[in-house]
Amino acid sequence: MKAISFDKTGTPADDFAVLQIREHAIPEIGDKEVLIKMSAVSINPGDFLFIQSLYPEPKKPNFPKQIAGTHGAGIVVKAGKNVSYQPGTLVYFSYLKSWAEYAVVPEEWLIPLPSDYPLEKASQFGNLVSAWDMLEESKVKPGDWLALTAGNSTVATMVSQFANLRGVNVISLVRKVQEHVPLNDLGVTKIIELSKLSCNVHDQIMEITKNKGLNGIIDCVGGPVTGELIQTLSFDGRIIIYGGFSSEKFELHNFDILFKNAVMKAYGYRYFFQPPTEEDNFLLQKIAEAANTPKFRVPIGGMHALEDYKTAIYESIHHPERGKRFFIFSDEREESI
């Protein structure tokens, strides 16, 4: 089988030689594992953290020929004798070695999806889970105001659509409006284009909310803008932090937190260290159903074969605002190898 693998850690943005497309043997499965024929894999920032060996154990590369990729969707084509999944099942997983034509995954890490689930959503189901979780953590209610940084990003557009379904007002902060990302059609109430802003972010937020302020912030950028956003929080407001694209810091005074009873909380993907549990099944089905409508959209930057990995990775790193990039294999939903 073809797979993208690496023999040393590094940053693909600086050195494409870190990654190579090579032939690998189709792996054997154990009694509690399945063999998955990959259908689609979305390329996320976390994939590059893995290649740089920035994740803690157990998500560290194992050389030589470590296959890249940490999640994806595909069809079960072979199951171990102690596995309940049948061949032909469409599954998502957040595990390892997904940038390949086939992957072996322990049963406990699988999330089953409807057989006709759109692959651009199935392959990044983990992002849907994160978007849902952070919206829950923000505690916003119908009529409240929620601000999202990096508004053109996949996770932000997922949050905005889930928020819109709940009647929450969404302010999306973007460096530049992108024509192919129609934010107003993706649940966004107001857009703040930072490159064209004539006043500071604080004043713009207060004008939009008619001095009510923000009830919630979901931030993956950081920097001075985050500090301004926190200062616009209303009483009991919350900020959820899940990334740090900016290299700059933000500053706050204690009273920015104390006088508003504000909560600042970090969010990490819930299935990073632990697999889904039986108790999660109802929630996962609920998330899958909420996103499985034509109106719920995922901006697509491009679908790429493994052989086109240099273009796919370059665009993912340097132009994420152009939409999510995917490795696409097949959509045959076949039942056997």
Side-chain angles (χ1 to χ4, degrees):
M1 69 172 186
K2 292 178 182 177
I4 297 172
S5 57
F6 56 108
D7 297 323
K8 61 180 181 178
T9 60
T11 305
D14 301 325
D15 181 11
F16 276 118
V18 170
L19 298 173
Q20 300 179 51
I21 184 165
R22 297 185 271 203
E23 286 291 332
H24 291 246
I26 295 177
E28 298 294 327
I29 61 172
D31 291 346
K32 297 181 179 180
E33 296 177 325
V34 301
L35 180 66
I36 297 171
K37 187 177 190 303
M38 299 305 298
S39 298
V41 178
S42 64
I43 303 172
N44 283 352
D47 294 314
F48 305 122
L49 297 179
F50 175 67
I51 294 167
Q52 295 173 73
S53 193
L54 295 179
Y55 280 152
E57 293 289 356
K59 290 195 173 181
K60 286 286 188 182
N62 183 19
F63 301 127
K65 290 189 174 183
Q66 171 65 59
I67 295 175
T70 56
H71 57 270
I75 303 298
V76 174
V77 293
K78 188 182 293 185
K81 65 180 182 180
N82 295 331
V83 171
S84 60
Y85 288 94
Q86 296 298 313
T89 305
L90 176 66
V91 293
Y92 166 84
F93 65 88
S94 179
Y95 192 62
L96 292 172
K97 302 183 180 181
S98 63
W99 290 8
E101 291 179 305
Y102 292 90
V104 169
V105 181
E107 179 185 25
E108 62 184 348
W109 288 93
L110 303 179
I111 297 176
L113 294 168
S115 60
D116 61 347
Y117 210 73
L119 290 182
E120 73 275 10
K121 298 175 185 178
S123 62
Q124 54 182 324
F125 194 76
N127 283 339
L128 288 169
V129 173
S130 294
W132 185 281
D133 280 350
M134 290 190 290
L135 184 59
E136 289 284 314
E137 291 283 356
S138 73
K139 306 293 185 185
V140 289
K141 304 180 295 296
D144 282 352
W145 286 94
L146 173 69
L148 307 173
T149 61
N152 289 320
S153 69
T154 296
V155 172
T157 58
M158 289 175 172
V159 174
S160 64
Q161 291 175 86
F162 283 143
N164 180 258
L165 292 173
R166 303 185 187 192
V168 175
N169 298 304
V170 176
I171 300 173
S172 182
L173 287 86
V174 300
R175 187 172 301 280
K176 186 176 180 181
V177 170
Q178 301 293 324
E179 291 184 4
H180 67 282
V181 186
L183 293 175
N184 291 127
D185 295 333
L186 300 175
V188 173
T189 311
K190 294 287 185 180
I191 301 169
I192 296 179
E193 190 171 10
L194 298 174
S195 61
K196 295 182 178 180
L197 193 62
S198 58
C199 61
N200 60 47
V201 171
H202 177 281
D203 291 347
Q204 185 68 46
I205 292 288
M206 299 311 289
E207 179 182 339
I208 291 172
T209 63
K210 297 181 180 178
N211 291 318
K212 292 180 180 178
L214 297 170
N215 305 96
I217 303 164
I218 297 178
D219 174 46
C220 71
V221 177
V225 169
T226 295
E228 289 190 69
L229 288 173
I230 293 173
Q231 291 170 32
T232 71
L233 282 173
S234 61
F235 193 79
D236 280 341
R238 299 168 71 90
I239 175 170
I240 312 300
I241 296 175
Y242 70 105
F245 288 154
S246 174
S247 60
E248 298 181 81
K249 299 178 181 180
F250 61 83
E251 295 183 355
L252 294 171
H253 190 278
N254 277 12
F255 290 157
D256 293 325
I257 304 296
L258 286 169
F259 287 168
K260 296 176 180 178
N261 198 37
V263 173
M264 183 182 298
K265 190 171 183 180
Y267 175 80
Y269 176 49
R270 68 158 70 198
Y271 301 130
F272 187 83
F273 290 114
Q274 300 294 330
T277 65
E278 258 187 62
E279 291 73 23
D280 295 337
N281 289 343
F282 177 78
L283 173 63
L284 294 172
Q285 181 180 358
K286 188 175 181 180
I287 295 172
E289 291 175 353
N292 193 19
T293 69
K295 288 185 178 180
F296 195 104
R297 296 158 57 189
V298 176
I300 298 173
M303 300 285 192
H304 302 264
L306 282 182
E307 292 84 354
D308 193 30
Y309 72 95
K310 291 184 179 180
T311 300
I313 291 171
Y314 179 89
E315 291 295 325
S316 296
I317 293 173
H318 296 285
H319 300 290
E321 74 282 355
R322 293 177 180 174
K324 180 65 65 178
R325 299 279 162 169
F326 300 81
F327 289 125
I328 195 77
F329 299 87
S330 71
D331 193 11
E332 298 174 5
R333 322 265 165 135
E334 55 227 298
E335 296 184 359
S336 61
I337 298 177

